[in-house]
Amino acid sequence: MLLRTLREEPAEAEVPSHRLLLRAGYIRRAAPGGYTWLPLGKLVLDRITAIVRAEMTAIGGQEVSFPALLPREPYDVSGRWTDYGDDLFTLKDRRGAELLLAPTHEEMFALLVRDMTSSYRDFPLILFQVQTKFRDEARPRAGLLRGREFLMKDAYSFDLSDAGLADSYARHREAYQRIFARLGLSHTIVAAMSGAMGGSASEEFLALADVGEDTFVACTTCDYAANTEAVVTPVPAVAQREHPPLTVHDTPATPTITALVELANEQALDGRTDWSAADTLKNVVVTVHHPGREDSLLVVGVPGDREVDLKRLDAALSPATVTLFDDFAARPDLVRGYLGPQGLALRYLADPRVAPGTAWLTGANQPGKHATSVVAGRDFTPDGTVEAAEVRAGDPCPACGSGELAVRRGIEIGHIFQLGRRYTEAFAVDVLGADGKPVRPTMGSYGVGVSRAVAAVAEQHHDERGLLWPDEVAPADVHVVAAGKDGQLGTAEALSAELVSRGLRVLLDDRQQLSAGVKFTDAELIGVRRIVVVGRRLAEGYAEIRDRRTGERHDVPVTDVVRVMTE
Amino acid sequence: MLLRTLREEPAEAEVPSHRLLLRAGYIRRAAPGGYTWLPLGKLVLDRITAIVRAEMTAIGGQEVSFPALLPREPYDVSGRWTDYGDDLFTLKDRRGAELLLAPTHEEMFALLVRDMTSSYRDFPLILFQVQTKFRDEARPRAGLLRGREFLMKDAYSFDLSDAGLADSYARHREAYQRIFARLGLSHTIVAAMSGAMGGSASEEFLALADVGEDTFVACTTCDYAANTEAVVTPVPAVAQREHPPLTVHDTPATPTITALVELANEQALDGRTDWSAADTLKNVVVTVHHPGREDSLLVVGVPGDREVDLKRLDAALSPATVTLFDDFAARPDLVRGYLGPQGLALRYLADPRVAPGTAWLTGANQPGKHATSVVAGRDFTPDGTVEAAEVRAGDPCPACGSGELAVRRGIEIGHIFQLGRRYTEAFAVDVLGADGKPVRPTMGSYGVGVSRAVAAVAEQHHDERGLLWPDEVAPADVHVVAAGKDGQLGTAEALSAELVSRGLRVLLDDRQQLSAGVKFTDAELIGVRRIVVVGRRLAEGYAEIRDRRTGERHDVPVTDVVRVMTE
């Protein structure tokens, strides 16, 4: 077997799964964000693929396979050619025709269903493929966790009614729970944003992991859980009362919230000395990058005790993306550090807490000046609300209201969407309904990151000595080690052959030139649960059976090994 | 099942396999040269993939999987970034780094072996992958036969000696024979050119098919067979004799060989009236396109009774390609129609038949004039020989000399190469030999066109009514048709469930709204060999068993169907 384990920590690896998969010889880097599956890794990948395929077939999914390299046209029709932005790998063929490496295939499945169905009898329909996907990630990282080329199972459901879509969605949700349970992945289902996909309801399956890129919140009281981007801030009930008129104050050298609150209390603005950051309104200027058209400026208002979370803001404005604006020299009308929403000439979106009737201490749009009693709905009216403020541990739960949110991290291993009719409308997909009238099918789309799941399992199942695969995804059922030069190899080979004939998958370490210690270390690194050592006690007729997970070891007669392993 | 058979011939299809795979709902066009595998097609593709994988594992192959999207650098080192020319899909990522969609992976496997092996103990080594490949074909055609995205099994062997390479090559050759036998593909192994791959020995596996793009010759007497490009013309034995001196003749209006021969006989040039086209030397000007550098002109000389075969010339000059030169206006020194090799200022390559001592009737490089007794080695000396003349049925066999060549057509389904050390030298792959000295491994590379094999099988196994799969690759073992509305569906379902429980793969036609006739036609189009019809005679307790291949039909008691099918 092509296997070379590494003693040293690979410099390129940042997270445990990446480090161990490299060290144990499962994968190897071949390109930025592109990994080669070595023989051991391919075995694990194939097992996971088989589980995904089996559970998709069990809910009536039919497997197909689309090209990855596609013409631009359908993605222009849906708008995703531009919406996907730089993440999309595009190229031209020898004739100059524009092509893309498809990130997902909503367009193509909608076209397929348009051309291959005609009647309500053809529905509901679940189609899926297991396919290599390409995405030009800005920052490929953590090995298989965020690559530019990866294996994905993408599925698409087609139903004639919203109830049908809800049912297909529920079926996928259950299938995914079964898949991740079989993979031994402890996970949480969180409410999610649909992003560039379009559509309404959407949930993510997150494998719990400290190294996960996805931050989510979970209520400590009820079962609410949501991707941070999807957390909806409850709109506060605002008591309707008369506010004093807007008053401008001299607040020199207070460009930060901290400095402003300190000065407000020192000077007892409006007679108050209990000013806190939460009473202030922070206004942040960002540049919005719209795919396919010009950038624009936007001001976002959040309570001063919270930062603007650019990931949340990105998600809220998707497919546009944002960066902080800092070219104030070019815009003398924007008074840095003293910005207020009143009389602002730019688009202004406010946090839901900035509800009509709330009053704020905020910038007066003049250097060194702030204003008090700046009332939403009276002194300024936002162009809309936006979920841009950071979500913090301890925030009230938007579902039950009574619980608090805890913040956790996870790896996105699955994502399910109720897309609705965005794509069937774009491609005018119509079929004949039972009543003889045309019906437009409604779609769902569902993805499992198959190669990423390998890393997620490794992330959840390892210890300081190496990997520790759940039985159902392990590269072998038994790892046999021949340790010694007194006939151990012959016995180990015979034993392995016998185990294989009983249907077990066996990894046999028959390397003659290595010490027993090196082989034991490698066995622990590779992480098959059951290890059989044919070693020193062979002379007495004994082999040792080790459990990688519990650490238990016991000697059994060599003649009993097959029985014990097949019990 | 997502299945819609087509009654009409699809306009886009040129060859039977393409037409039938489209009509029977196995594949569907998604992009120029890119096809979607529909559920039925995916089943066949998976079966073929499984056979290929099993036979590769049987010869000790270890499966890995490389990214398809790779950085330019390794392909620059090997020279293939330029050598591959326009066939290579290249692109840039968001940072402007150049990438390619790898046509094959010699470079990456050499690098893998360099980094993951160190000693002679690690050899011999056979590694393979089953992977989607991309190639920017100038003329994608015939559906799966020549696409821009296709599934390929590529394997690479690494040995420390030439004898080892010969052995790995032989193992692959035998594995491929087993694979194609299991697929039911009647094929011929032909000697081939190595082209842009580099290396020495090389053979192609061609599935015999009239629609095949590859022309090959086979000796009617011995077992010689070769790709047309690889046919080596035997050099004639030339009797050494004195030739009269070169004589220029007025031959007005004879720009073609036919006109020239006619006039030569009319005018009894040199006193002869037995001039034939074979006595003339035809000189053809071509533009040579060298990848990565400027075009050049070349004149090719062949006996006048043969055409220049541009595919053979291309292969001989690979990685360069050629086109016919016709801009004679720009080159007044080249007298169109009256060109001779004597005193020519351009590179001149001649057919091996133009051996030293042979005398020719050829152009005199003056309008309306030809010369006789133009002797190779006396009046002109070619810069080399080239295999550019067409190969014709009836040509003498270059192997046995006594037989004649027959010309046949086939589909390339496999290709095996002894690459040698081209890639291990490019990447300085060295390992420690048994004697303690470094050894440079020698490589073989071996490909099976997996998706193309689906089309090749369809091409060889069909009749006018549809496909007719060999059992081992069929999408199902039994096709059950429920025909009738008197309980047939229930019985067919029960029967199918029983067959499935016995391990058979069943396709059940349960479409209620269609007539029996349509279902029978579809069954024949889809091409599963064994068809069970639960139809009119169900009332008497009978079903009909049909054999799609032999056309036999017989009624059996419904209760006997499972027994008959599992016998």
Side-chain angles (χ1 to χ4, degrees):
Chain A
M1 173 172 270
L2 185 72
L3 173 65
R4 163 173 279 192
T5 56
L6 309 173
R7 293 286 151 263
E8 328 75 55
E9 294 292 332
E12 67 182 275
E14 311 143 46
V15 303
S17 60
H18 189 197
R19 210 150 54 220
L20 289 169
L21 290 169
L22 285 172
R23 278 191 54 207
Y26 283 77
I27 60 169
R28 189 163 172 278
R29 187 174 181 278
Y35 285 81
T36 302
W37 296 93
L38 299 177
L40 276 181
K42 187 68 169 63
L43 290 169
V44 174
L45 181 69
D46 285 350
R47 298 204 86 187
I48 293 184
T49 306
I51 290 170
V52 171
R53 190 168 269 147
E55 295 294 347
M56 286 306 300
T57 305
I59 61 165
Q62 302 180 47
E63 188 169 359
V64 300
S65 179
F66 269 90
L69 190 63
L70 292 171
R72 170 176 175 157
E73 290 72 23
Y75 289 79
D76 257 344
V77 172
S78 70
R80 289 210 298 162
W81 177 270
T82 24
D83 286 1
Y84 244 89
D86 287 343
D87 279 359
L88 201 64
F89 276 117
T90 61
L91 61 155
K92 287 186 180 172
D93 71 10
R94 62 199 298 156
R95 286 192 190 74
E98 286 185 296
L99 303 170
L100 64 103
L101 289 167
T104 53
H105 281 70
E106 280 74 5
E107 291 80 355
M108 303 309 292
F109 277 83
L111 282 167
L112 182 72
V113 166
R114 185 186 72 184
D115 296 348
M116 300 223 18
T117 64
S118 53
S119 137
Y120 66 94
R121 289 191 195 89
D122 300 322
F123 295 85
L125 195 55
I126 294 175
L127 301 170
F128 74 98
Q129 60 180 352
V130 180
Q131 205 202 31
T132 300
K133 304 285 186 198
F134 303 86
R135 207 168 290 176
D136 196 356
E137 290 286 349
R139 282 169 297 279
R141 66 174 281 276
L144 303 173
L145 286 180
R146 183 161 293 277
R148 302 205 296 179
E149 176 168 351
F150 49 93
L151 194 66
M152 185 172 163
K153 186 283 299 172
D154 47 330
Y156 305 86
S157 69
F158 292 85
D159 286 276
L160 299 187
S161 68
D162 294 350
L165 170 57
D167 181 58
S168 293
Y169 184 87
R171 287 218 253 176
H172 279 87
R173 199 174 193 276
E174 285 158 24
Y176 281 25
Q177 288 175 287
R178 282 190 295 269
I179 288 169
F180 298 129
R182 288 178 66 179
L183 301 188
L185 278 174
S186 153
H187 65 278
T188 301
I189 304 176
V190 306
M193 303 279 290
S194 330
M197 309 295 304
S200 50
S202 157
E203 287 169 297
E204 280 176 16
F205 290 72
L206 298 182
L208 303 176
D210 294 340
V211 303
E213 286 198 315
D214 286 80
T215 308
F216 71 100
V217 295
C219 177
T220 48
T221 305
C222 75
D223 63 359
Y224 174 79
N227 193 312
T228 312
E229 284 84 345
V231 173
V232 176
T233 307
V235 178
V238 180
Q240 292 306 314
R241 62 182 181 90
E242 280 298 307
H243 289 281
L246 184 152
T247 314
V248 175
H249 305 268
D250 276 323
T251 55
T254 55
T256 67
I257 296 291
T258 315
L260 172 63
V261 170
E262 204 168 300
L263 181 133
N265 284 323
E266 271 171 27
Q267 300 197 351
L269 292 189
D270 288 358
R272 281 175 63 182
T273 55
D274 62 350
W275 291 103
S276 79
D279 300 317
T280 70
L281 178 59
K282 170 156 58 182
N283 303 291
V284 176
V285 189
V286 294
T287 306
V288 185
H289 310 285
H290 305 275
R293 58 190 179 89
E294 263 183 36
D295 291 354
S296 64
L297 289 189
L298 169 72
V299 184
V300 171
V302 298
D305 60 339
R306 292 186 185 256
E307 297 301 324
V308 167
D309 178 337
L310 289 181
K311 266 183 92 171
R312 266 168 63 75
L313 183 53
D314 261 348
L317 301 178
S318 170
T321 56
V322 297
T323 48
L324 284 176
F325 174 79
D326 60 3
D327 191 13
F328 286 90
R331 290 293 302 245
D333 59 319
L334 301 176
V335 187
R336 181 174 221 162
Y338 300 93
L339 220 54
Q342 61 285 13
L344 202 63
L346 289 176
R347 184 168 161 77
Y348 186 78
L349 297 177
D351 186 83
R353 294 175 193 86
V354 188
T358 53
W360 302 90
L361 163 54
T362 193
N365 296 315
Q366 301 169 51
K369 290 188 196 292
H370 280 87
T372 53
S373 294
V374 183
V375 177
R378 183 190 75 183
D379 303 313
F380 70 98
T381 305
D383 297 303
T385 59
V386 69
E387 291 290 351
E390 61 176 331
V391 175
R392 286 199 302 238
D395 280 352
C397 171
C400 66
S402 58
E404 287 189 351
L405 296 182
V407 176
R408 307 175 73 179
R409 299 183 73 83
I411 299 163
E412 184 187 336
I413 45 176
H415 203 155
I416 54 180
F417 291 99
Q418 293 194 26
L419 290 177
R421 296 183 173 81
R422 166 173 172 180
Y423 295 92
T424 49
E425 267 162 23
F427 297 102
V429 183
D430 277 321
V431 298
L432 197 71
D435 58 0
K437 291 182 188 155
V439 194
R440 185 147 288 179
T442 176
M443 275 176 80
S445 111
Y446 315 89
V448 170
V450 180
S451 45
R452 186 184 280 177
V454 175
V457 174
E459 205 59 60
Q460 288 190 357
H461 299 274
H462 71 268
D463 60 20
E464 70 288 348
R465 286 168 296 145
L467 296 159
L468 220 163
W469 298 105
D471 289 349
E472 204 165 355
V473 303
D477 299 310
V478 185
H479 185 138
V480 177
V481 177
K485 303 208 167 173
D486 303 303
Q488 281 89 348
L489 180 57
T491 305
E493 283 175 342
L495 208 53
S496 299
E498 179 65 17
L499 290 167
V500 167
S501 76
R502 302 298 181 92
L504 294 184
R505 298 169 315 120
V506 177
L507 192 63
L508 167 64
D509 190 343
D510 59 358
R511 295 173 296 176
Q512 284 288 68
Q513 72 283 15
L514 298 182
S515 74
V518 168
K519 292 181 185 179
F520 297 156
T521 306
D522 276 356
E524 299 202 314
L525 181 59
I526 288 168
V528 172
R529 182 169 65 84
R530 296 193 294 177
I531 300 168
V532 174
V533 180
V534 181
R536 272 177 311 193
R537 289 197 67 199
L538 175 63
E540 304 152 55
Y542 281 89
E544 188 187 61
I545 296 181
R546 299 182 177 187
D547 188 308
R548 168 78 178 86
R549 201 167 301 147
T550 62
E552 283 172 61
R553 305 173 175 203
H554 52 281
D555 288 349
V556 298
V558 169
T559 47
D560 280 2
V561 169
V562 171
R563 185 183 53 73
V564 173
M565 287 292 138
T566 51
E567 256 169 11
Chain B
M1 175 173 270
L2 184 72
L3 173 64
R4 162 173 280 194
T5 56
L6 308 174
R7 293 285 152 262
E8 328 75 56
E9 294 293 331
E12 68 183 275
E14 312 142 48
V15 302
S17 61
H18 189 197
R19 209 150 55 221
L20 289 169
L21 290 168
L22 284 171
R23 280 192 52 208
Y26 283 78
I27 60 169
R28 189 163 171 278
R29 185 173 182 280
Y35 285 80
T36 302
W37 296 92
L38 299 177
L40 275 182
K42 187 67 168 64
L43 290 169
V44 173
L45 182 68
D46 285 351
R47 295 204 88 187
I48 292 184
T49 306
I51 290 170
V52 171
R53 192 168 267 148
E55 295 293 346
M56 285 306 300
T57 306
I59 60 165
Q62 302 182 47
E63 188 170 359
V64 301
S65 179
F66 269 89
L69 190 63
L70 293 170
R72 170 176 176 158
E73 291 72 23
Y75 288 79
D76 256 345
V77 172
S78 70
R80 290 209 299 162
W81 176 269
T82 20
D83 287 0
Y84 244 87
D86 286 344
D87 279 358
L88 201 64
F89 276 117
T90 60
L91 62 154
K92 288 185 180 173
D93 71 9
R94 63 200 295 158
R95 285 191 190 76
E98 286 184 296
L99 303 170
L100 66 108
L101 290 166
T104 52
H105 281 71
E106 279 74 5
E107 290 80 355
M108 304 308 292
F109 276 84
L111 282 167
L112 181 72
V113 166
R114 184 186 72 185
D115 296 350
M116 299 222 21
T117 65
S118 54
S119 140
Y120 66 95
R121 291 192 194 86
D122 299 323
F123 296 84
L125 197 54
I126 295 175
L127 301 170
F128 74 98
Q129 60 180 353
V130 180
Q131 205 202 31
T132 300
K133 303 285 185 197
F134 302 87
R135 206 167 290 176
D136 196 354
E137 290 287 349
R139 284 168 295 278
R141 67 174 280 276
L144 303 173
L145 287 181
R146 184 161 293 277
R148 301 205 296 179
E149 178 169 351
F150 49 93
L151 193 65
M152 186 172 162
K153 186 282 299 171
D154 47 329
Y156 305 85
S157 68
F158 293 84
D159 285 276
L160 299 188
S161 68
D162 293 349
L165 170 57
D167 181 57
S168 292
Y169 184 87
R171 287 217 252 177
H172 279 87
R173 199 174 191 274
E174 285 158 24
Y176 280 25
Q177 288 176 288
R178 282 191 295 271
I179 288 168
F180 298 129
R182 289 177 68 179
L183 301 188
L185 278 174
S186 152
H187 65 277
T188 301
I189 304 177
V190 306
M193 303 279 291
S194 333
M197 308 294 305
S200 49
S202 156
E203 287 169 296
E204 280 178 14
F205 290 73
L206 298 182
L208 303 176
D210 294 339
V211 303
E213 287 197 314
D214 286 81
T215 309
F216 70 99
V217 294
C219 177
T220 49
T221 305
C222 75
D223 63 357
Y224 173 80
N227 194 311
T228 310
E229 285 84 341
V231 173
V232 177
T233 308
V235 179
V238 179
Q240 292 305 315
R241 63 181 181 90
E242 280 299 305
H243 289 282
L246 184 153
T247 315
V248 174
H249 305 266
D250 274 325
T251 54
T254 55
T256 67
I257 296 292
T258 315
L260 172 63
V261 169
E262 204 168 300
L263 182 134
N265 283 323
E266 271 171 28
Q267 301 196 350
L269 292 190
D270 287 359
R272 280 176 62 182
T273 54
D274 62 348
W275 291 104
S276 79
D279 300 318
T280 69
L281 178 59
K282 171 156 57 183
N283 304 291
V284 177
V285 189
V286 296
T287 306
V288 185
H289 310 284
H290 306 275
R293 58 190 178 90
E294 264 183 35
D295 292 352
S296 64
L297 287 189
L298 170 71
V299 184
V300 172
V302 298
D305 61 337
R306 293 187 184 254
E307 297 301 323
V308 167
D309 178 336
L310 289 181
K311 266 182 94 173
R312 267 168 61 77
L313 184 54
D314 260 349
L317 301 178
S318 170
T321 57
V322 296
T323 48
L324 284 176
F325 174 79
D326 60 3
D327 191 11
F328 286 89
R331 288 294 302 247
D333 58 321
L334 300 176
V335 188
R336 182 176 217 161
Y338 300 93
L339 219 54
Q342 62 283 15
L344 202 65
L346 289 175
R347 184 169 160 77
Y348 185 76
L349 296 177
D351 185 83
R353 293 175 193 87
V354 188
T358 53
W360 303 91
L361 165 54
T362 192
N365 296 315
Q366 301 169 51
K369 290 187 197 292
H370 279 88
T372 52
S373 294
V374 182
V375 177
R378 184 190 74 182
D379 302 314
F380 70 98
T381 304
D383 296 305
T385 59
V386 69
E387 292 290 350
E390 60 176 330
V391 175
R392 285 199 303 238
D395 281 352
C397 171
C400 66
S402 57
E404 286 187 354
L405 296 182
V407 177
R408 308 176 72 177
R409 298 184 75 81
I411 298 163
E412 185 187 337
I413 46 176
H415 204 154
I416 55 180
F417 290 99
Q418 292 194 25
L419 290 177
R421 296 183 173 81
R422 166 172 172 181
Y423 295 92
T424 49
E425 266 162 24
F427 296 102
V429 183
D430 278 320
V431 298
L432 197 70
D435 58 1
K437 291 180 188 155
V439 194
R440 185 148 288 177
T442 177
M443 275 176 80
S445 113
Y446 316 89
V448 170
V450 180
S451 46
R452 184 184 282 176
V454 175
V457 174
E459 205 57 61
Q460 288 190 356
H461 298 274
H462 71 270
D463 60 18
E464 70 288 349
R465 286 168 296 146
L467 295 159
L468 220 162
W469 299 106
D471 290 349
E472 202 163 356
V473 303
D477 299 311
V478 185
H479 185 138
V480 177
V481 176
K485 302 207 166 174
D486 303 304
Q488 281 89 348
L489 181 56
T491 304
E493 283 174 340
L495 208 52
S496 299
E498 180 64 17
L499 289 168
V500 166
S501 76
R502 302 297 181 92
L504 294 183
R505 298 169 316 120
V506 176
L507 193 63
L508 167 64
D509 191 342
D510 60 357
R511 294 173 298 177
Q512 284 287 68
Q513 72 280 16
L514 297 182
S515 74
V518 168
K519 291 181 186 181
F520 297 154
T521 306
D522 276 357
E524 299 203 313
L525 182 58
I526 288 168
V528 172
R529 182 169 65 83
R530 298 193 293 179
I531 301 168
V532 174
V533 180
V534 181
R536 274 178 308 192
R537 290 198 66 199
L538 175 63
E540 303 152 55
Y542 280 89
E544 187 187 59
I545 295 182
R546 300 182 177 187
D547 187 309
R548 168 78 178 84
R549 201 167 301 149
T550 62
E552 284 173 59
R553 304 172 175 207
H554 53 279
D555 287 350
V556 298
V558 169
T559 47
D560 281 1
V561 168
V562 171
R563 186 183 51 74
V564 172
M565 288 290 138
T566 51
E567 256 166 11

